[in-house]
Amino acid sequence: MSPSAERDRDAQLFVVDPVAALRPAKDSSVALMQAAQRAGLAVWACTPADLSAVGAADGSHRAMAWARPLRLAEVRPGGDGWIVPEPWHEAGEPRPLPLDHFRWVWMRKDPPVDEAYLYATHLLELAERRGVRVLNRPAALRAWNEKLSSLRFSQLMAPTLVASRVDDLAAFTADHGEVVLKPLGGRAGQGVVFAAAGTPGLRALLELVTLQQTLPVMVQAFLPGVREGDKRILLVDGEPLGAVNRLPRDGEFRSNLAVGGQPEACDLSGAEREICSALAPALKAEGLFFVGIDVIDGRLSEINVTSPTGIREVERLGGIPLADQVIERLLAG
């Protein structure tokens, strides 16, 4: 029997952190799972550690997963958040299944993009070669670092430098006065630091964040408009379907929700739509189906491809059934 004949055309596998550790009131992966279930699709889950590959004497190979079937309770908006039933999910016993059993596999493991993460993308690529659609495409997950990939569209960004040399970073800071330092492997605002040309101990700080000039970091001109928010825009197959503005709390310049930023409903400006249009051809060509971009004061900041968040906030504040729209687009593709 061919792989396509064996495939369950109504099954989706989500490669995620342990399901019990997910937060159903916040997690976009849970929102997508629930939307898939509402669409009549079977939902399965595993972690990257559950992936494997088997090679045969005839030279063939097959990627596998120890996967659990899930049944999810509905999570509904209420008050200032979501009403989560307890238990919010039921998981069946794990079963060893070839990845080409599934029509789609979502790679939604949160960063860091470490050695285990990269090996998981290689295993998923084996399934892709057998006709499974992996979201987002494994090769693109490896190639699109969420900080560095923005440089492909540097004309849309604030002035930016990526370097390890303290002299270069210090000169950039002197030129722009106020800057933001970002670790290339950071997530959720972790490790992002504000600095100014007159900051005491600036060179010592630069030595610290570059591990004594051995590790490149991103430095960007500080955008004062961040006080008005950092907009997360969610794109599906290159098209913006929803957005949420994230306001930094008092005394903080970072607006990430994980560090206390407050979400608010928003619309897209003309400049923000132009940014989305500029990115769309590359995102579609490289198999980046579900992407979250960050825009500050009309400037592109980051392109998030690993496990973009924001669905719950868009749904609650904007009244948009975003997760259902994502699955509808997937089914129509």
Side-chain angles (χ1 to χ4, degrees), residues 54-269:
V54 178
D58 62 2
S60 64
H61 56 264
R62 206 168 201 184
M64 305 286 295
W66 279 91
R68 293 177 179 268
L70 298 182
R71 291 294 301 174
L72 301 125
E74 282 299 320
V75 176
R76 302 187 183 279
D80 294 330
W82 293 82
I83 300 171
V84 179
E86 189 60 43
W88 63 269
H89 77 282
E90 296 178 0
E93 291 298 315
R95 291 171 51 189
L97 291 171
L99 291 186
D100 53 54
H101 170 84
F102 302 97
R103 184 177 178 185
W104 304 278
V105 174
W106 288 84
M107 178 49 163
R108 292 277 308 173
K109 170 70 175 69
D110 282 344
V113 179
D114 55 11
E115 193 173 14
Y117 185 101
L118 292 174
Y119 288 148
T121 67
H122 286 290
L123 292 170
L124 292 171
E125 211 159 31
L126 297 179
E128 190 178 51
R129 293 173 188 163
R130 294 177 69 95
V132 179
R133 187 173 182 188
V134 181
L135 309 157
N136 287 318
R137 192 172 184 184
L141 290 175
R142 293 193 297 270
W144 285 63
N145 174 275
E146 297 184 333
K147 305 293 190 297
L148 286 172
S149 61
S150 302
L151 288 171
R152 304 179 188 218
F153 309 93
S154 59
Q155 75 277 15
L156 305 174
M157 302 172 67
T160 300
L161 170 71
V162 175
S164 305
R165 287 172 48 87
V166 166
D167 285 346
D168 294 341
L169 296 168
F172 183 95
T173 304
D175 287 344
H176 295 282
E178 296 181 328
V179 300
V180 174
L181 298 162
K182 298 180 178 180
L184 298 182
R187 60 180 290 268
Q190 296 173 359
V192 177
V193 178
F194 172 86
T199 298
L202 175 63
R203 293 185 67 87
L205 172 63
L206 296 175
E207 291 168 0
L208 178 66
V209 298
T210 61
L211 299 183
Q212 300 299 319
Q213 304 190 95
T214 63
L215 187 71
V217 298
M218 175 176 280
V219 57
Q220 292 182 309
F222 178 70
L223 296 174
V226 73
R227 299 184 179 94
E228 302 302 319
D230 176 350
K231 196 169 290 187
R232 165 60 57 88
I233 305 172
L234 294 172
L235 297 93
V236 178
D237 207 20
E239 181 180 349
L241 292 189
V244 61
N245 194 37
R246 301 167 296 177
L247 295 168
R249 63 184 181 182
D250 291 344
E252 176 65 82
F253 74 93
R254 298 175 300 171
S255 54
N256 307 74
L257 300 182
V259 295
Q262 292 300 309
E264 66 174 9
C266 66
D267 295 317
L268 295 185
S269 68

Side-chain angles (χ1 to χ4, degrees), residues 29-43:
S29 294
V30 177
L32 292 168
M33 290 176 186
Q34 291 173 323
Q37 181 176 275
R38 286 192 293 270
L41 305 175
V43 176

Side-chain angles (χ1 to χ4, degrees), residues 276-297:
C276 294
S277 296
L279 269 60
L283 298 180
K284 294 176 69 173
E286 300 209 25
L288 291 167
F289 176 75
F290 185 63
V291 170
I293 66 171
D294 295 338
V295 177
I296 300 171
D297 199 18

